[in-house]
Amino acid sequence: LKQAPGTPVTSFCSGDGTATPCPCGNTGAAGNGCANSVNAAGANLAGTGNASIAVDTFLLQGSGMPNSSALYFQGTAMQGGGGGAVFGDGLRCAGGSVARLGTKQNAAGASQYPAAGDPSVSVRGQCAAGDFRTYQVWYRNAASFCVAATFNLSNGVSVTWVP
């Protein structure tokens, strides 16, 4: 569970065996996604800052991924009741109506959204006060690892936007 001052951010849909089982037994560490080709602990998504429409400092930080492209996206619901659904080498956690926030290039296995010059999460995700949203990172994992797919995902995080 990751907490941001003033805005509760909840981690869910972990690939550590507490949610839907990872597709080929590639269990990750507590709070992370399923294991990937470069990190047996799996990728982690953390939400920090203030998820406030008036003063949006909300930041999504992904780590533990290969140095590849990473798509940060938003959903309106938790996939599989919060347990996720098998997707590629991992679990899809963010579901419902999905919006792409932005694609980033991982360096040293990490990236974030927003970065300099990007719209804030609330603007890009068209959020309003009271909206419950889920977030996840979908990243390229080109090495032959688990299933034939060449991608994996982080854990999910959820937040309810405040005014």
Side-chain angles (χ1 to χ4, degrees):
L1 178 67
K2 308 279 186 199
Q3 291 288 333
T7 310
V9 178
T10 304
S11 179
F12 71 100
C13 187
S14 180
D16 63 4
T18 59
T20 299
C22 292
C24 53
N26 57 323
T27 302
N32 290 355
C34 299
N36 61 53
S37 66
V38 299
N39 186 359
N44 180 266
L45 179 63
T48 61
N50 197 9
S52 163
I53 301 303
V55 185
D56 182 358
T57 60
F58 193 55
L59 179 66
L60 296 166
Q61 298 171 303
S63 61
M65 300 176 278
N67 289 334
S68 61
S69 58
L71 171 65
Y72 287 78
F73 67 101
Q74 169 187 278
T76 56
M78 293 179 172
Q79 189 78 10
V86 170
F87 187 56
D89 286 347
L91 302 175
R92 178 152 169 232
C93 305
S97 295
V98 173
R100 294 171 177 240
L101 298 176
T103 302
K104 299 297 171 188
Q105 183 64 36
N106 291 325
S111 58
Q112 69 180 38
Y113 186 89
D118 289 331
S120 66
V121 175
S122 64
V123 169
R124 183 73 178 125
Q126 299 180 342
C127 300
D131 285 350
F132 173 80
R133 295 291 181 262
T134 56
Y135 298 93
Q136 195 170 15
V137 183
W138 179 0
Y139 59 93
R140 182 164 169 70
N141 190 22
S144 176
F145 179 64
C146 178
V147 299
T150 55
F151 63 88
N152 201 330
L153 299 99
S154 68
N155 58 295
V157 296
S158 65
V159 69
T160 299
W161 286 86
V162 298

